[in-house]
Amino acid sequence: MPSSEANPDSPGVTVLGPFDLSAPQRSLFKDLFEASPDALVAVGLGGLILEVNGQFERLFGYHRSEVVGENVTVLVPERFRGAHAAHLRSYFAEPRLRPMGAGLELYARRKDGSEFPVDIMLNALKSGPEPVVLAVVRDISERKRAQEALRLSEERLRAMVESVKDYAIFTLDPRGHVTSWNAGAERIKGYRADEITGQHFSKFYLQEDIDRGKPDYELKVAAATGRFEDEGWRVRKDGSRFWANVIISALRDSAGTVRGFSKVTRDFTERKQAEEALLLQVTNTLVSNLDIGRLLAAVSASIRQVASYDYAGLTLFESSTGQLRIHTLEAPSGRKVPPDGTPIPVTGSPAGRAFTSREPVILNHVRQEGETFAPENIKRLTDLSINSACWIPLINRSRPLGTLMLGKLAEGAFSDKDIRLLSHVAGQIAIAIDNAETYRQVIEARERLQEEKAYLEEELRTEYDFEEIVGESHALKRVLKQVETVAPTDATVLILGETGTGKELIARAIHSLSGRRERTFVKLNCAAIPSGLLESELFGHEKGAFTGAITQKIGRLELANRGSLFLDEVGDIPLDLQPKLLRALQEKEFERLGSTRTIPVDVRLIAATNRDLAAMVQAREFRSDLFYRLKVFPIEVPPLRMRAEDIPILVHHFVGKHARRMNRIIETIPPETMRALERWLWPGNIRELENLLERAVILSNGPVLRVPLSELTSPGMPESAGGAADAPSSLEATEREHILKVLRETQGVIAGPDGAAARLGLKRTTLNSKMRKLGISRYDI
C-alpha cells in the first residue's frame, strides 16, 4: 500500500507517502487499509486514482493495476460525470470531511458497466505537497432494497387503511389528539381529516361520558394493559348518536414508551337495534305466558336467542324457608342434575351472592374462582362438567325474586356483552315470573298447582337448538334425539310422516348438524316435477340430449356434491327412474342425460315421504332394493295430534312470526281460543296450524288474536272426529291406541332401554300414570 515511490505502471504518478511513519507503523497502516470492509480509494489532485484496496477490487470488479493512474470518473456512471467533475474541483478547492449519510443519492459504476447505489465518506489527507482525498465507498444496495420494501409496505398499509370504509381507523398522540384519519372515519363520524386532525378524541363522546372522565380512563387502561375494548354510544359531527364498538391499542417505541394510540371504531347501530328488537320479542314471548310451565319453556327458548349455553336454570326465592330453590331448564346430556326444588342456601353460594348483592356473579374459571364459595355449591357445577357460569339476579319492582343461571363446558365463555344482554333478559324474566306467580295464586286451584308441580318435575328439555323446529313434547324430543344421533354420520335418512309435519325442517336440521353443513343443501320435490322432467332435474343433461335441451344443465345430484340432497316425496319417483337413482347412490357416480362421461359424486341423501313405502313395495309400485337403500335410518315425525302439548308454543311462535311480517302487534290470545286450538286434531298438521294463524293475524285489527274457529273442519272427517266437543276423547283414544301398540311390540315390558317407556320417550313412572289415566291394564296388551 502507501509508498513514496512512483507507480511503475503509471509513470509520473506519486502514490501515498509514508506520512512520516516508521516502518512498523507503515506495515500496520497497510494491513488496516487492506482489511477495511469498505472499498477505499485514494484520489490525488485532478482526480487521478492513487491507490485502492482489496475490497475495492471485489466491489468494482477491477484489478488495482487497471485503475491506479486512471481518473476517478471511470467509477462514475456517465450521466453523472459532468456534475461529478464540478463537485470534485469544488472539493479540492476547499477540502473537508464529508461523513457517510450526507443525504446524496450516489451511484457507482462497476467494470462491467452495471450501476449500484453507494454511500461515500470523503476525507482530505496530506501526503507531500499536494492533498490526497481518501474515499470510503460502501455498497448500500441491500439497504436501498430494504428501504424500498419498507416504503412499498407503508404505501400498501396506508392504501389499505384508506380503502376500509366500514371501520374508522385513526391514530392519537399520547394526550389523545387525532394525528391520522382514514376514509372510514370520515364516513362514520362525519369529520374530514383537515377538520379533526389535532382535535381531542373526546369530541366523539356523550357529554355525560366526558364529565365522568371516560375518554381519559380509556387511554389510561390502554397504556397500562396495551388494549382497551368497549361498546357504547358515540356522537357524530352532526350530533347524532351511533352505537360503537371501540378498540384502542397503545403504540410503543423500541424502549416501550407509549408514543400514541391506534383506535378502531365500528358502527354497530344496526346490531344494537336488532338486539333491542330481539329483547322486545323476548319480552312479548315471556309476558304473554301466565302459565308457569309454559313460561319456563319460553324462558329457555328466549335465553337461547341471546346467548349459547350448556346448562340453564332458575333459582327462585322461597320466602317461607328463606332459601333459593333450583328449577333446571336445560342440562348437558347424560349428566345427573339436582331435582327441581332442591334448596340452595343463600349464604355461601354464587346464586345467593347474586340474589343478595343484586349484581351479576361471573365465574369464567369455576375451579379456580369458586374457592370463595362453599365446596358443595361448586361440586354441583363440576359434576355437570361446567367450567364457566354466571348468575344474573331476577329483580322486579325493586324486589329480588331469584337468579338466572347459565353454565358452559368451556372456560372463559361469558363476555361483558353476554352479561349485558342477559341482564336485560333477566329483567323481563323477573316480570314474567312475578306475573305468572300472581296469576297462579289468584286463578289456579290446588289441583292445578299439584299437576303443574308434577309436570315441572318430569319435564325434560331438549338441549339442541334446531332453529325453526318449535316444541317441547316428548314425541318431538325423541325425534330430535334421533337427529342428533344420525346427523354426524353420512348415513342415508328416511323421514316418514304425514303431510305438514315439518319433514323438511328435520332434513335441514340433519344437514346443519352434520359435517357437511358448510356445503350445499339441495332440495328436490319429486311430486312437484313432471315425471318426464324429473330425470333431467335429478341428473342434469347435455346440450341436445332431447328436444328443447338447448343448453347444458347441471342436475340437483351434482349440485349437492359434498353436501346433502333432500328428496322430498320420494315415493313419487317413477319406477323406471328408480334403478338409476339406486346406482348413483351405490356407486357414487352417474351420467348426465345425453352423456357417456361418468361424474363422481359424494352426496349425503335425506329422503322424505308421507306414503307407506313398504306397502308400495308389496304392490310393486316401489323397488324393494331402493326402499332398503333409503331405509338405513328411518325417522318418523309425529303428527301434531300426537304432540298436542306443543300447540301453545307453536301458536305463540307463528303468531309472533306473522305479526312481525305484517307489522301487527298481537298481545293477547284468548284462553278459550287456545283451548279450542288444543282440542282440534289438525289433519293438516303444523302447516294447517300456521295457515290458520296467518289468517287470524290478518283478521285481527287489535291486540287480541281473532281466530276463525269456524274453519276447523276437514273434508272427509266425521263431525265427531273433528268437532271441538269430541276432540278430547278422540285425542285420548288415539294416545291410548298408540301406547297399546308400543306395549304390544315390547310384549308388555315397560322399564329398561328396550321397554315401552324408553320407546315413548317417557319416564317409567309417567307411563304408569298415563296407563292408569287411560284405563290400560295388562289384560289389554
Side-chain angles (χ1 to χ4, degrees):
M1 155 52 233
S3 170
S4 59
E5 299 177 355
N7 188 331
D9 295 325
S10 303
V13 176
T14 302
V15 301
L16 288 175
F19 305 142
D20 299 325
L21 300 177
S22 65
Q25 290 175 324
R26 286 197 301 271
S27 176
L28 176 61
F29 185 76
K30 180 177 180 180
D31 290 342
L32 292 174
F33 188 83
E34 287 298 327
S36 171
D38 295 314
L40 301 181
V41 185
V43 180
L45 193 63
L48 295 182
I49 298 174
L50 304 178
E51 184 61 284
V52 298
N53 68 346
Q55 180 61 20
F56 172 91
E57 294 179 322
R58 289 186 288 273
L59 183 60
F60 283 86
Y62 290 101
H63 186 271
R64 67 187 66 195
S65 63
E66 296 178 280
V67 293
V68 171
E70 296 292 333
N71 195 285
V72 74
T73 54
V74 73
L75 307 178
V76 179
E78 292 184 5
R79 66 182 188 277
F80 297 128
R81 287 179 179 174
H84 176 266
H87 287 307
L88 189 63
R89 287 193 299 271
S90 172
Y91 186 84
F92 270 102
E94 189 179 349
R96 61 198 176 279
L97 173 67
R98 193 186 74 182
M100 291 280 190
L104 299 175
E105 289 284 336
L106 302 176
Y107 287 85
R109 182 178 182 276
R110 295 187 179 92
K111 179 180 178 180
D112 60 8
S114 62
E115 298 179 8
F116 61 100
V118 293
D119 201 353
I120 299 177
M121 182 186 77
L122 299 178
N123 194 13
L125 305 175
K126 198 70 174 173
S127 177
E130 296 181 353
V132 174
V133 175
L134 178 64
V136 181
V137 182
R138 182 172 297 166
D139 183 356
I140 60 170
S141 299
E142 288 298 326
R143 190 175 77 191
K144 282 284 187 180
R145 281 192 287 268
Q147 289 173 342
E148 180 64 14
L150 178 60
R151 184 187 65 81
L152 292 175
S153 175
E154 290 175 345
E155 287 183 357
R156 284 194 295 267
L157 178 60
R158 187 178 299 108
M160 182 179 68
V161 170
E162 286 301 321
S163 68
V164 174
K165 305 298 183 184
D166 296 330
Y167 293 79
I169 303 174
F170 54 100
T171 56
L172 309 173
D173 67 17
R175 294 186 299 167
H177 297 94
V178 176
T179 55
S180 71
W181 194 253
N182 80 328
E186 180 174 338
R187 186 188 68 81
I188 292 174
K189 296 180 180 290
Y191 293 95
R192 298 192 313 273
D194 59 342
E195 293 178 303
I196 199 64
T197 301
Q199 299 291 319
H200 197 269
F201 81 117
S202 59
K203 291 177 70 71
F204 314 134
Y205 288 73
L206 302 178
Q207 186 59 48
E208 52 263 36
D209 288 337
I210 297 174
D211 293 342
R212 61 190 180 96
K214 183 175 175 62
D216 291 336
Y217 170 77
E218 292 180 358
L219 293 188
K220 183 178 179 181
V221 173
T225 65
R227 188 176 188 273
F228 176 85
E229 183 170 0
D230 179 45
E231 284 195 13
W233 292 110
R234 297 295 188 270
V235 182
R236 297 186 179 93
K237 178 184 176 182
D238 61 8
S240 62
R241 300 195 311 170
F242 68 100
W243 188 262
N245 172 268
V246 176
I247 299 175
I248 302 177
S249 300
L251 303 176
R252 303 179 186 275
D253 59 18
S254 58
T257 303
V258 175
R259 296 302 184 187
F261 302 89
S262 68
K263 189 171 182 183
V264 180
T265 302
R266 294 183 67 186
D267 185 351
F268 277 2
T269 305
E270 291 184 1
R271 195 199 69 183
K272 176 69 172 175
Q273 292 170 344
E275 287 179 1
E276 291 175 347
L278 177 60
L279 291 173
L280 178 60
Q281 175 188 338
V282 168
T283 300
N284 292 337
T285 301
L286 293 176
V287 299
S288 63
N289 283 278
L290 292 177
D291 178 278
I292 190 66
R294 291 170 185 165
L295 173 61
L296 293 183
V299 167
S300 180
S302 298
I303 300 169
R304 182 70 72 181
Q305 294 184 71
V306 299
S308 62
Y309 56 84
D310 298 300
Y311 175 90
L314 300 175
T315 55
L316 301 180
F317 182 69
E318 187 179 68
S319 57
S320 60
T321 62
Q323 291 182 315
L324 295 164
R325 293 195 178 272
I326 293 177
H327 294 270
T328 297
L329 301 176
E330 294 192 34
S333 177
R335 300 289 179 176
K336 185 179 180 181
V337 298
D340 279 356
T342 298
I344 296 290
V346 173
T347 302
S349 66
R353 179 177 294 180
F355 177 77
T356 55
S357 69
R358 304 190 181 194
E359 294 289 339
V361 173
I362 304 108
L363 300 181
N364 268 321
H365 305 278
V366 166
R367 295 181 187 275
Q368 297 91 327
E369 299 172 3
E371 295 178 354
T372 59
F373 299 101
E376 60 271 17
N377 292 298
I378 302 305
K379 188 175 186 301
R380 289 192 187 95
L381 301 176
T382 56
D383 286 347
L384 293 169
S385 298
I386 298 299
N387 287 304
S388 57
C390 67
W391 291 261
I392 313 295
L394 303 175
I395 302 172
N396 186 39
R397 292 179 293 190
S398 301
R399 182 169 62 93
L401 305 178
T403 67
L404 165 67
M405 183 268 182
L406 297 183
K408 296 195 73 171
L409 303 181
E411 291 190 340
F414 293 100
S415 66
D416 292 341
K417 173 178 173 267
D418 294 329
I419 301 303
R420 178 174 56 81
L421 277 176
L422 289 171
S423 296
H424 287 301
V425 174
Q428 305 309 314
I429 292 174
I431 294 172
I433 288 176
D434 206 4
N435 291 344
E437 180 65 16
T438 302
Y439 178 79
R440 181 187 66 82
Q441 293 172 354
V442 174
I443 303 298
E444 294 190 316
R446 183 179 180 82
E447 248 185 345
R448 179 60 181 162
L449 290 173
Q450 292 174 344
E451 291 175 1
E452 185 62 30
K453 182 175 181 295
Y455 167 76
L456 289 173
E457 290 174 346
E458 294 175 0
E459 181 68 12
L460 296 176
R461 311 200 184 280
T462 180
E463 63 177 300
Y464 312 106
D465 180 11
F466 292 103
E467 298 180 353
E468 293 297 318
I469 301 176
V470 178
E472 293 288 334
S473 65
H474 292 294
L476 179 60
K477 285 190 282 189
R478 185 170 62 253
V479 170
L480 297 185
K481 183 64 177 177
Q482 291 177 295
V483 169
E484 186 233 2
T485 299
V486 74
T489 73
D490 268 346
T492 300
V493 179
L494 178 61
I495 305 173
L496 306 169
E498 298 177 10
T499 181
T501 54
K503 296 186 289 297
E504 182 180 343
L505 290 179
I506 296 297
R508 290 186 182 277
I510 293 171
H511 173 75
S512 298
L513 292 175
S514 73
R516 299 171 179 260
R517 57 185 169 271
E518 301 299 327
R519 298 291 178 173
T520 310
F521 176 87
V522 178
K523 173 188 172 184
L524 178 62
N525 190 324
C526 302
I529 298 173
S531 57
L533 298 177
L534 186 57
E535 183 175 5
S536 173
E537 281 294 326
L538 187 56
F539 298 105
H541 63 251
E542 299 292 343
K543 180 178 180 181
F546 52 85
T547 302
I550 58 176
T551 60
Q552 183 191 73
K553 177 182 177 64
I554 296 176
R556 305 289 178 91
L557 189 64
E558 191 173 349
L559 285 174
N561 186 38
R562 301 180 68 185
S564 301
L565 175 64
F566 175 50
L567 295 181
D568 200 6
E569 305 298 348
V570 72
D572 290 282
I573 295 180
L575 268 172
D576 58 348
L577 184 56
Q578 292 178 21
K580 187 171 183 179
L581 174 60
L582 178 63
R583 176 183 175 274
L585 297 177
Q586 297 281 35
E587 304 297 331
K588 295 187 177 181
E589 61 184 23
F590 69 97
E591 298 87 33
R592 296 194 192 115
L593 281 174
S595 172
T596 57
R597 183 171 67 91
T598 299
I599 300 174
V601 67
D602 174 18
V603 167
R604 199 263 181 88
L605 180 66
I606 306 171
T609 183
N610 62 359
R611 304 178 67 176
D612 187 345
L613 293 185
M616 293 178 66
V617 170
Q618 293 295 325
R620 298 184 181 276
E621 296 174 352
F622 201 87
R623 291 180 62 100
S624 60
D625 48 5
L626 179 58
F627 171 64
Y628 294 121
R629 181 65 181 81
L630 295 177
K631 197 182 177 183
V632 175
F633 194 95
I635 295 177
E636 187 165 356
V637 183
L640 189 53
R641 62 180 175 275
M642 299 302 296
R643 39 182 290 218
E645 58 265 49
D646 285 339
I647 289 176
I649 301 174
L650 288 163
V651 169
H652 286 291
H653 172 76
F654 289 132
V655 169
K657 170 184 172 182
H658 292 296
R660 287 191 301 274
R661 182 171 59 84
M662 301 178 195
N663 292 320
R664 301 286 180 92
I665 298 177
I666 304 296
E667 299 176 344
T668 305
I669 301 175
E672 61 274 13
T673 298
M674 187 65 79
R675 287 194 293 270
L677 296 176
E678 290 176 317
R679 288 197 299 267
W680 178 243
L681 295 184
W682 299 107
N685 292 294
I686 297 173
R687 186 180 293 120
E688 178 189 0
L689 173 63
E690 181 174 8
N691 291 340
L692 177 67
L693 293 173
E694 184 177 4
R695 289 196 297 279
V697 172
I698 295 172
L699 296 172
S700 300
N701 295 321
V704 179
L705 184 70
R706 303 297 183 191
V707 180
L709 298 176
S710 60
E711 298 183 14
L712 295 182
T713 57
S714 297
M717 177 174 282
E719 186 67 26
S720 61
D726 293 330
S729 61
S730 299
L731 182 58
E732 288 182 358
T734 303
E735 186 176 19
R736 187 177 191 276
E737 287 300 317
H738 183 61
I739 291 175
L740 280 170
K741 176 177 177 293
V742 175
L743 285 168
R744 289 171 185 140
E745 290 175 355
T746 62
Q747 299 180 348
V749 177
I750 294 176
D754 298 320
R759 291 196 182 189
L760 290 167
L762 301 173
K763 290 182 177 180
R764 176 180 56 78
T765 54
T766 304
L767 179 55
N768 284 329
S769 174
K770 285 184 177 290
M771 290 172 63
R772 287 194 298 273
K773 180 180 177 182
L774 298 172
I776 299 174
S777 67
R778 299 268 179 194
Y779 300 102
D780 297 319
I781 301 174

